[in-house]
Amino acid sequence: MRGRSWPLLILGLALVLAGLSIFKLEQGRAGLVTSQISVGTTPATVWRLPGEVPGPVVVVAHGFAGSQQLMLGFAQTLARAGYIAVAYDLEGHGRNAVPMSGDVDSIEGTTRILIAELDRVVDASLALPGAEGLALLGHSMATDIIVRQAVVDPRVQATVAVSMFSGAVTADAPRNLLIINGAWEDRLVTEAERVIALTDTDAQFSQTLGDPALGTGRRAVNAPNVEHVGVLYAPTTLREARDWLDAVFDRQSDTPIKERGGWIVLLIVSVTALAWPLARLAGPLRASAPPVRLAPRAFWAATLGPMIITPLLLWPIEIGFLPVLVADYLAMHFALYGLLGFAVLWRAGALRRDHTGLLLSLPIGLFCILIFGGILDRYVASFLAFEARIGIIAAIALGAIPFMLADSYLTEGGCAPFWRVLAVRTSALASLGIATALDLEGLFFLLLILPIILLFFLLFGTLAGWVGRATHRPVAAGLSLGVFLGWALGVTFPLFAV
């Protein structure tokens, strides 16, 4: 009886923690009015206090492979402080169906196109009721866009650059520049040191140079204990951004900074934890025999062989059939990697027909896409699939399904010893690393995807283990998570006009 109560206790605890997290995250929206606008083909969201209270406009731009949801902390913090925050999806990102275009390596290419888009968003934002003054805020890739706009646009009174890299900064332009980096972003911290030294060779972090009231302000701050993504959620980042704009626009804000990062982590963990008691419900469908454990020689052949052979075989091939940066290569890499693993699994007799496992993959896939994906879409990043992305999702999923099925069989649906699981997933990441090293210029953006895949293995590899141990059916988790991985990557990669 005691053993039977554990799933119910875990289910109850996970639901309580998920509900508490959602309640806390929704408090960030409390008291604010949002409206959706379209600036041409660019979707944007306006955040402000009720009653169209006048205030300065802050246009908020996300980084590469991001969306306006990533910048929710800034939009909500600034709106509560009386600013009119306008967050938008850059071309090719989030819900913006217009692909990025131009030469990504040239200032006169993609950068100019994105600056033109920002200029249109600025015009529309300043036309909003109560708009008084203008500031720009951006993260990572967007910092170069907003800095270049601010240098030439006299309407911009302040620029907040989070994780900044831009060659357009001079000793006195743009006006009132605040640079915020995560303390663990070593290269960007060094770049911030260089930039503030343009104004004062003796400048220190957290020191305000010049006078924000006169347009000559400059400041660089490191948010402690965070990196390139964590900096977006750090209270130091949000507070510094708000206080800098207050200094520029002669305002005073004492509204509390709402913590989001911790609650998002708790929500993701608690929703993932729901899978454990739910997987136990599939116990009556458990296979009569556990998954086959490969002999050491076959295991290493199926693990290390694809790791080395896949990037070497694809290296000389020109791959460009999807309108998304590096997604077409990733789909091919996944497919070949998985098929090579399947060849060894088939020869070793580890594969078996499993119609019940196929049926089980449906509810697992729906849980991942609808429940987990819905949470991501509301609080973290765009997860909605629209027409332009359906084909991309399908193409990546066709590769991701054999990749995840091979992973599931090699890890015996979570029944394998931990060292085998670690070896399988480390080899998968290493294979992508080898591919990037062989073609750094063409596959550089894969480096940005590796942390996503690592997080995927940590969260959904755990989920797959629960399902596999409860059912002894590797195909159930392998198939559903292959579809989910294809979906997640298909909605994350920026669209690009080929």
Side-chain angles (χ1 to χ4, degrees), residues 132-154:
E132 299 176 346
L134 173 66
L136 304 179
L137 185 152
H139 174 241
S140 193
M141 176 189 74
T143 59
D144 190 43
I145 308 302
I146 65 169
V147 164
R148 293 181 185 278
Q149 174 75 14
V151 167
V152 300
D153 190 343

Side-chain angles (χ1 to χ4, degrees), residues 32-243:
L32 300 178
V33 174
T34 63
S35 57
Q36 309 297 320
I37 63 173
S38 294
V39 183
T41 56
T42 301
T45 304
V46 180
W47 294 78
R48 63 190 305 170
L49 293 173
E52 297 184 345
V53 176
V57 168
V58 185
V59 176
V60 181
H62 60 79
F64 182 83
S67 59
Q68 57 178 285
Q69 287 95 323
L70 266 178
M71 309 300 282
L72 273 176
F74 295 101
Q76 293 174 355
T77 296
L78 296 175
R80 279 196 302 273
Y83 294 89
I84 303 171
V86 181
Y88 72 103
D89 289 329
L90 279 70
E91 287 187 357
H93 293 74
R95 287 165 172 57
N96 194 329
V98 176
M100 295 172 66
S101 57
D103 182 358
V104 294
D105 297 320
S106 170
I107 298 299
E108 299 304 321
T110 305
T111 298
R112 289 299 174 196
I113 294 171
L114 295 178
I115 290 173
E117 179 185 38
L118 171 59
D119 191 56
R120 295 191 296 271
V121 174
V122 165
D123 289 342
S125 300
L126 289 175
L128 293 169
E132 299 176 346
L134 173 66
L136 304 179
L137 185 152
H139 174 241
S140 193
M141 176 189 74
T143 59
D144 190 43
I145 308 302
I146 65 169
V147 164
R148 293 181 185 278
Q149 174 75 14
V151 167
V152 300
D153 190 343
R155 299 172 296 178
V156 181
Q157 297 164 260
T159 302
V160 179
V162 183
S163 302
M164 189 192 80
F165 57 93
S166 176
V169 180
T170 67
D172 53 11
R175 291 193 298 164
N176 293 328
L177 174 63
L178 170 65
I179 306 168
I180 309 174
N181 293 311
W184 295 344
E185 298 183 278
D186 293 340
R187 292 178 62 185
L188 296 182
V189 169
T190 301
E191 174 63 9
E193 291 175 337
R194 183 193 69 80
V195 169
I196 59 175
L198 295 174
T199 302
D200 183 347
T201 56
D202 295 323
Q204 303 292 320
F205 281 100
S206 301
Q207 174 188 359
T208 298
L209 308 173
D211 186 351
L214 300 177
T216 60
R218 186 157 291 187
R219 179 177 172 88
V221 178
N222 291 331
N225 305 318
V226 290
E227 31 55 64
H228 197 63
V229 175
V231 67
L232 297 174
Y233 301 96
T236 296
T237 303
L238 300 175
R239 186 178 300 106
E240 286 282 348
R242 183 198 64 187
D243 293 350

